[in-house]
Amino acid sequence: MRRIKVVILLIMMLLPVSLRAQDMDMNEYLFGHIGDSYGWHITTINGHHVTVHLPVIVHSKTSGWHVFSSKHIEEGEEYEGFHIATAEEPHEGKLVEATPQGLVKPLDISVTKNVLGLAINSLVLVLLVLLGARWYRKHDAREEAPKGFAGIVEMMVMMVEEDIIKECVGKDYKRYSPYLLTAFFFIFINNLMGIVPFFPGGANITGNIAITLFLAVCTFLAVNLFGNKHYYKHIFWPDVPMFLKAFPLMPLIEIIGMFTKPFSLMVRLFANILAGHIMLLGVVAVVFLTAKLGFAMNAGLSVISVFFGVFMDVLELLVAFLQAYVFTMLSSVFIGLSRQEPEEE
């Protein structure tokens, strides 16, 4: 029982916001965690917010460039004519400028929470790759097998390349291995870092549709820029009866398929990661939502919440790997379909 109390206390300490059951807003709680922001709120200690203030960089059509810290625009404050739009204003949650014509959204290239999280996670990925490559610079892989961390990296790389890329793409798989391996490890690392409940983890990177859109566009370009003649012949002049060619129904369906395939990659990754974050946050929120129900009810449901939270964390570890695996596998399949050769009669 003492260990359970310690776990509950740790969960309460690691939450990025201060929550009180009597004024807890679930919308603010959930979307505040999974959404982007101009500051990275870590925790609250004795009513004092511990926040990493990020640089705000905006360009106004009337006053030019402005660079200032996000601490100046916290809690609805206005600074240099800029403030974060409220729910009653247009562009909710975004930085807006007050002008005589009303509120307008300036050109915003600020370093937000997701931008910083993306930079940190990318740096972690580069460091992991360099640490794995360090072993090969000091040893001859033809004489001895890597051990420790280098062995784990080699196992992961060989698994992705041999079991996914080579099998799905075909004979010229090495041409696409750099992109597909990068996509797998990028998604995997960002998924894992998103599960970590404290700074520098917890940023909802792969649960942001802008990130998954960029990854889907990369796959779309890899498929359609390097597709062979047979791939485009299958789209615009498929092997179907002539009356179907006269009425271009099949080419229309194939052209639509060119865009629906990467669209499905984008939505699948975005929806699964976002849903996992929301479910985990909902389970943790039970501890605070039941505070008014009395000590016995709150303690009992808190214990259940902790066990479900641990289960959800373990499940999210599996989902982090599976979503990276599925995205890489489907991208490899789509690329392989664009590289097929016509069958010999």
Side-chain angles (χ1 to χ4, degrees):
M1 191 65 183
R2 181 178 299 175
R3 292 182 179 179
I4 294 175
K5 291 181 179 179
V6 171
V7 173
I8 296 174
L9 181 60
L10 287 174
I11 291 177
M12 296 175 68
M13 292 176 62
L14 292 175
L15 282 175
V17 294
S18 179
L19 299 175
R20 292 181 297 173
Q22 60 267 26
D23 57 1
M24 182 177 182
D25 186 347
M26 282 300 295
N27 287 332
E28 181 182 353
Y29 166 66
L30 291 176
F31 292 102
H33 283 69
I34 64 177
D36 202 0
S37 60
Y38 290 93
W40 197 322
H41 190 268
I42 299 176
T43 188
T44 300
I45 301 176
N46 296 328
H48 176 69
H49 298 288
V50 180
T51 304
V52 177
H53 298 290
L54 303 175
V56 177
I57 308 172
V58 291
H59 181 268
S60 170
K61 293 182 179 180
T62 57
S63 55
W65 288 100
H66 296 260
V67 181
F68 52 88
S69 174
S70 62
K71 67 180 180 180
H72 297 299
I73 54 173
E74 289 183 340
E75 299 180 358
E77 296 181 1
E78 183 174 329
Y79 184 78
E80 297 184 359
F82 300 94
H83 70 276
I84 298 176
T86 61
E88 295 78 18
E89 298 173 332
H91 311 295
E92 178 186 357
K94 301 298 182 180
L95 200 68
V96 293
E97 180 184 11
T99 65
Q101 293 76 27
L103 295 178
V104 296
K105 186 179 178 182
L107 175 63
D108 191 351
I109 57 172
S110 303
V111 179
T112 61
K113 176 182 176 181
N114 282 350
V115 173
L116 179 60
L118 180 61
I120 293 174
N121 297 348
S122 299
L123 180 61
V124 170
L125 176 58
V126 171
L127 290 176
L128 293 179
V129 173
L130 293 179
L131 288 175
R134 183 181 179 184
W135 185 91
Y136 292 91
R137 292 197 300 267
K138 297 182 177 181
H139 302 81
D140 188 352
R142 294 171 295 182
E143 297 182 357
E144 58 178 315
K147 299 178 182 179
F149 180 76
I152 296 175
V153 172
E154 181 181 288
M155 178 190 67
M156 296 286 289
V157 171
M158 294 301 295
M159 182 270 295
V160 174
E161 186 168 52
E162 295 292 331
D163 297 343
I164 303 177
I165 302 175
K166 185 177 180 179
E167 293 293 327
C168 297
V169 175
K171 60 181 181 180
D172 56 347
Y173 71 96
K174 290 185 178 180
R175 182 180 183 181
Y176 301 94
S177 289
Y179 162 65
L180 293 170
L181 284 168
T182 301
F184 174 84
F185 285 101
F186 175 82
I187 296 172
F188 186 46
I189 292 298
N190 279 281
N191 289 350
L192 290 180
M193 292 294 288
I195 304 174
V196 178
F198 48 84
F199 184 83
N204 187 31
I205 304 300
T206 43
N208 187 319
I209 199 167
I211 301 298
T212 59
L213 172 62
F214 176 79
L215 293 171
V217 169
C218 290
T219 297
F220 174 81
L221 295 177
V223 171
N224 294 283
L225 289 182
F226 304 105
N228 57 20
K229 295 180 180 179
H230 179 69
Y231 169 70
Y232 285 102
K233 179 181 179 297
H234 177 73
I235 293 176
F236 296 105
W237 197 253
D239 295 328
V240 295
M242 187 56 66
F243 72 91
L244 289 177
K245 293 181 180 180
F247 183 72
L249 178 62
M250 293 302 296
L252 179 61
I253 294 175
E254 292 293 338
I255 292 173
I256 294 174
M258 292 171 59
F259 296 94
T260 56
K261 290 174 182 176
F263 179 79
S264 66
L265 289 177
M266 174 189 71
V267 174
R268 180 183 289 106
L269 179 60
F270 161 72
N272 280 281
I273 300 302
L274 184 65
H277 280 280
I278 292 176
M279 291 177 63
L280 186 58
L281 289 169
V283 170
V284 174
V286 172
V287 177
F288 303 93
L289 291 173
T290 58
K292 286 185 177 182
L293 302 179
F295 174 78
M297 183 67 72
N298 181 237
L301 292 177
S302 295
V303 171
I304 297 175
S305 175
V306 168
F307 281 115
F308 269 99
V310 173
F311 172 76
M312 288 296 301
D313 272 329
V314 176
L315 185 62
E316 283 295 296
L317 290 175
L318 177 62
V319 171
F321 174 80
L322 285 180
Q323 290 305 313
Y325 185 94
V326 169
F327 186 96
T328 308
M329 181 187 67
L330 291 178
S331 297
S332 301
V333 170
F334 298 154
I335 293 173
L337 291 175
S338 71
R339 303 295 300 171
Q340 284 186 335
E341 299 293 338
E343 297 181 1
E344 296 183 0
E345 296 184 0

